């Protein structure tokens, strides 16, 4: 009986881990790299609700995205913003850091998810924005 309970608990944990993560993505209607980033998320198990937004500046301001961290699209997961071409694995890291308002990849670095350009890969950082306004690097690529 004990082995059955352990096996059942392991199966339930695995099934729960396989559930898709829901993220809302807001983008300009004319942006192609935004669609490529959405595809990256979907390929990594995210369930994406795609929202075409006519006023991205107002949305970013409402979510607390500072202009210095801005990019072309904005996601929201579990109340935290995801700004720009943040890799799926770094979004998972963000979810475990409740002291952060969100994470951003400022600009549009070549080689980041959605900005693939052959062999070109710019070095970039994923910046976390703390609730007190301070920033910290949560990943480097």
């Amino acid at each position: 009986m004990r082995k059955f309970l352990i096996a059942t608990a392991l199966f339930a944990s695995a099934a729960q881990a396989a559930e898709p993560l829901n993220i809302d993505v807001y983008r300009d209607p004319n942006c192609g790299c935004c669609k490529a980033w959405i595809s990256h998320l979907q390929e990594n198990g995210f369930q994406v609700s795609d929202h075409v937004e006519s006023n991205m500046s107002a949305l970013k301001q409402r979510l607390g995205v500072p202009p210095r961290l801005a990019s072309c699209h904005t996601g929201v997961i579990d109340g935290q913003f995801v700004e720009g071409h943040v890799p799926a694995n770094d979004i998972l890291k963000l979810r475990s850091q409740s002291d952060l308002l969100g994470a951003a990849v400022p600009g549009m670095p070549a080689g980041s998810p959605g900005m693939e350009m052959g062999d070109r890969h710019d070095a970039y950082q994923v910046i976390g924005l703390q609730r007190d306004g301070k920033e910290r690097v949560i990943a480097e690529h």
Side-chain angles (χ1 to χ4, degrees):
M1 181 67 172
R2 184 166 203 258
K3 287 182 183 178
F4 174 76
L5 292 174
I6 291 171
T8 302
L10 289 173
F11 177 76
S13 295
Q16 186 177 27
E19 289 180 21
L21 298 168
N22 296 315
I23 186 168
D24 288 291
V25 175
Y26 300 88
R27 63 178 178 84
D28 182 274
N30 302 311
C31 184
C33 68
C34 299
K35 292 177 186 176
W37 185 66
I38 288 171
S39 293
H40 164 75
L41 296 179
Q42 291 169 330
E43 290 164 4
N44 285 278
F46 286 81
Q47 180 71 40
V48 178
S49 294
D50 183 10
H51 307 276
V52 175
E53 179 65 42
S54 60
N55 190 347
M56 288 298 295
S57 295
L59 174 85
K60 291 173 192 301
Q61 186 174 21
R62 181 174 54 83
L63 294 171
V65 179
R68 69 186 174 281
L69 297 180
S71 186
C72 54
H73 52 262
T74 306
V76 178
I77 187 166
D78 299 336
Q80 295 171 297
F81 69 77
V82 180
E83 181 67 15
H85 296 270
V86 178
N89 286 340
D90 295 330
I91 296 172
L92 297 177
K93 290 179 192 174
L94 169 65
R95 293 180 72 232
S96 68
Q97 298 180 54
S98 60
D99 64 317
L100 296 178
L101 285 174
V105 171
M108 300 168 75
S112 61
M115 289 296 298
E116 292 85 358
M117 298 180 170
D119 292 337
R120 183 173 169 205
H121 295 279
D122 295 340
Y124 66 94
Q125 297 177 325
V126 179
I127 308 295
L129 181 66
Q130 297 175 174
R131 296 190 185 282
D132 63 6
K134 294 179 183 171
E135 298 172 10
R136 71 174 187 254
V137 175
I138 58 175
E140 295 191 57
H141 300 276

